[in-house]
Structures are given as structure tokens and as C-alpha cells.
Amino acid sequence: MARTIKIFDTTLRDGEQAPGFSMNLAEKVEMAKQLERLGVDVIEAGFAAASPGDFAAVQAVAKNINQSTVACLSRLLKKDIDIAAEALALAKKPRIHLFIATSDLHLEYKLKMSREQILAAVGEMVAYAKTKVEDIQFCAEDASRSNREFLYQVYAKAIEAGATVINITDTVGYSAPEEFARLVCDVRENVPNIKAVDISVHCHNDLGMAVANSLAAVQAGASQVDCTVNGIGERAGNASLEEFVMNLSVRKDVYHACCQVDTREIYKTSALLSSITGIKVQPNKAVVGANAFAHEAGIHQHGIMANRKTYEVITPESIGLPVNKIVLGKHSGKHALNQRLLEMGYALTAVELDQAFEKFKALADRKKEVSDRELEVMVIQRAIQIPQTYQLANYSVSMGNSISSTAWVQLVHKSGQVREAAVASHEGPITAAFQAISQIVRVDFQLVDFVINAVTPGTDAQGEVYAKIRCGGRIYTGSSVGMDTVEASICAYIDAVNTMLWAMGRQ
Ligand code: KIV
Ligand code: ZN
């Protein structure tokens, strides 16, 4: 009989806190809704006490999610717990995720607390959190490097005080699978009241073992796994949700366990995260990498044509990867577009379909065929609506190998006012255009990352552009897509500026 493992997704907390992966409130809500469609049991929405922005994000996710439990991270501090409870007030199923480190290394150098002090804090703060929210997950940070006897006492104390889930962590990704499985067994055997609660595991990927350790933990009796989409997270990341889930699904014979995730939503969830953050997964990434279903070698292609099972253990359909059946082009109508989008899992409202059809027609006029990937980029971009403080009206650039590049950019402010600037730069026309926009906007910010990817192979590919800017210690991501990469770059930069102004309340 297969056990059901709960999936605790921490993309919006552990994932989002990694450099380059920050998301704004609208993006977090969009991502949370997709995680709910994916079917995760718990969405960790953030660490509300960390900043007003985090608080607002947890609150917004709590309000918008109906099925999944919404969790908020909290230190063992009354003020953190109060803030977490307030942020979760509108959640249908709220959970506070309390954590404190338990290894001697952390106690001595980070917390400067004795074991007795930790134990007292665990008892007191779990009990306090329990007065606010029924569902309490208690996490011992750096559990895998903690003294075993002390760890048992800490978990026993947390359960006694009302914890419903205990979290066993491999915070620094140091464990080997057998070792981590032993730790889970030891906790099960030595913590007296353990049967009353779920055992979660939280593995990092510093040595590339996060998924292997999570699977070993399931075999040892863990009933919940913390993971993130595309494996994002602190340093080398967390256990990758898609890899963990597909292991359960494909190797039922080994793990005898299943979960509630609808695997057909995996590809879409991964693509949405890449689109929001501007960070693509490596091409050879298991399950969701661009090459995960590509067969280059002749002998492999021959095998695949005869029977896909020769070289594929997962089908593209099982993760919802679009497999093109009909080709859309400039003669295709709105109905065909809608049909194709539905097959790809995107149900658009009538207004959204009209907007998508307009973009589709513009693209189909310039290209013979429009691929599924291009359709996907088109509809994912529609999802996040940031107020358009500035819009591009006109631009022109000049460049050459022996002259400075120049750019003239004209923007329309939402008040209707037209503003323009012209700049010359030795660093090329895109830099010149960006500097012209910065002059118009007059806020002190810096460009920190700029990426152009081809949406499809071929010389007629559209460019998918991401621009990241930093202002006041925060990163804002803008994106755009188009056949003209200079224009798409300018639009991505304007999008980043609009996101920044919106977050600063200055739109
Ligand atoms: O890695 C870790 O130990 C954590 C906990 C705070 C859950 O992220
Ligand atoms: Zn972590």
C-alpha cells in the first residue's frame, strides 16, 4: 500500500531568498496560485517578520490560496510569531513554521545560547505560537550536525508543546543518504511522542544530494518533504520538487509512496518560475531541462522512433510538456489558438484571449510558424500586470565599429506627459538607450543583470530579454519578448523600472 507524502513547497521563502530570485508581491501571488494548481500540500509564503514586503507577500498569498496550507517562517521570538500570525490571519489553513538551530556550532557562534536555553525557548515559543495557530511546524536548523541526544530532547519538547510537524534539516547539504535515513530512523525510535506528528525533511544541495537524501528519508519513514521548484534556494539550492515528485511517480516499485502533485503541471510551474525570475534551468537539468527529452545521437533517435521507452523513463506528457500536434501560422484563427492553448494547459478569459490573439497575429505576420514555446512565452507574460508608469513611445539608435553609439528614447508617462532623452555611449546602443531611460526616470538605480535568450532555435527566433536593476538593496526584474532585440531590451528595462516604481509606491 503506497504511503502519501506531503509536499511542502518553499520556493517563495528559501527559494526566493537566494541571490537573483527575488520576486515582487504580484509575482509571488501568481506563483502561489500555480503551486496550488500543481497540488502541493503546503506553500511556505515567506518570513513575514523579515521586512514589510515579506509581510505583505505572506498576507497576499494567504488571502489568495484556498486548498493548500499557507506557512510562514518565524524565529522563536514572540514578536516574529505575532507578525506571522497576523500575516496568516486570512489563510484558510494557516501554519507557523518555527525554527532554531540545534548544532553546537550554531549555538556557540551564532546564537550564543546554551542547550538548556534552547530547550526552554522551544517549549515556551511553540506553546505561544500554538495559542495563535493550531498547525505548528517546528524545525531544528542544522539538525544533521546536531548532537543526537540533544536533538531528541528538542523534538520531544516541541511536540509536547503542541508542534504538529517536526522538521529534520540537512541545512548545509552535508549528509549522505544512508546517514540521513539513519537520522530519520533514530528520531523515530528515540523521540517518545513522535507518532503524533508528521516528520518533514529539509535538504540542501551543497554536495548535490538534496533529492537523494529526501528520498532516503521517505524510505526511513518521513511523511513530508520540503522542496522548491527548479531546486532553487540558498547557495546550491533545496531539493528539487520536480525531481523528487517524478522519482516517487516513476519508481513506485522502490519508494512505495505517492503524493498529491499533478505532475502534468510541473513543466508549466517550472517555466513560470523561470519567466518571473529571468533565470532558466540548465539545459541538462533532470525533468525540466530543455534537453531532458532531446535525443541527439543517431542510435538514440533510432531507438526512440521504434519505441520511446528505449531511451526515456519519463514521458514529456507526464510533466505537461507541450508536444506540438498542429502548426499555428498566420492563417490560424482565434479558435485554433484557444484550442492549442487549452491543450497546453492555459485557459484564458475572453479578454486575455483577445490580447493573446493580437500578439499572436503580430508574430505570425513576421514568422511562418509559431511554436508552442513562443505561445507559452506570450501567455506567461500576460499573467503579471504591473502598472505601466512608463511606456515606450519611440526610439532610435545608431551604431558602428568606429563611432560612439547613440540612442534617443521617448517615453510616455501615465499622466500623458511625453519625456525624452538622447545619450552617446562607447558601450553600445543598448547601454546608450538604458542611460537615456535612466535620465528620464531620475531615480538612482543600477543595472545588475541583463540576459537575452532566443525563444526558439533558428534565425527568425524572438529574443526573450530579462533586465535586473538594483535600488536600495532590492532587485527588480523586468522582461520582454520580441523579434527586435534592441526594442525588447528597452521594453525589459522599462518593465524593470515600472516594477521598481510600483514596489516603491511611486508609480
Ligand atoms: O535550511 C534550513 O535549515 C532552513 C530552515 C530555516 C527551515 O531553511
Ligand atoms: Zn533551507
Side-chain angles (χ1 to χ4, degrees), residues 32 67 71 93 121 225 292 380 389 464 469:
Q67 303 301 326
K93 298 181 199 165
V225 168
I380 286 183
T389 309
E464 186 182 24
I469 58 176

Side-chain angles (χ1 to χ4, degrees), residues 232-259:
I232 69 170
E234 280 284 346
R235 305 180 309 281
N238 289 63
S240 138
L241 181 147
E242 56 282 357
E243 292 175 24
F244 176 77
V245 167
M246 289 316 288
N247 268 281
L248 287 195
S249 162
V250 173
R251 298 309 310 270
K252 292 191 184 72
D253 56 327
V254 174
Y255 300 109
H256 308 290
C258 59
C259 65

Side-chain angles (χ1 to χ4, degrees), residues 14 170-173 202-206 209-210 233-235 237-239:
D14 213 327
D170 186 28
T171 300
V172 289
H202 180 102
C203 299
H204 277 269
N205 206 30
D206 299 65
M209 302 305 272
E234 280 284 346
R235 305 180 309 281
N238 289 63

Side-chain angles (χ1 to χ4, degrees), residues 8-10 13 42-50 54-55 57-59 61-62 69-75 80-89 91 93-99 129 133 135-137:
F8 178 103
D9 179 275
T10 182
R13 199 278 298 169
V42 188
I43 297 170
E44 186 166 47
F47 181 4
D54 280 59
F55 177 87
V58 175
Q59 200 172 41
V61 171
T69 294
V70 178
C72 175
L73 189 70
S74 166
R75 289 171 297 184
D80 274 29
I81 295 170
D82 291 343
I83 294 173
E86 193 187 332
L88 290 171
K93 298 181 199 165
R95 175 181 294 182
I96 295 180
H97 184 192
L98 289 170
F99 78 99
V133 164
D135 192 4
I136 306 293
Q137 177 161 328

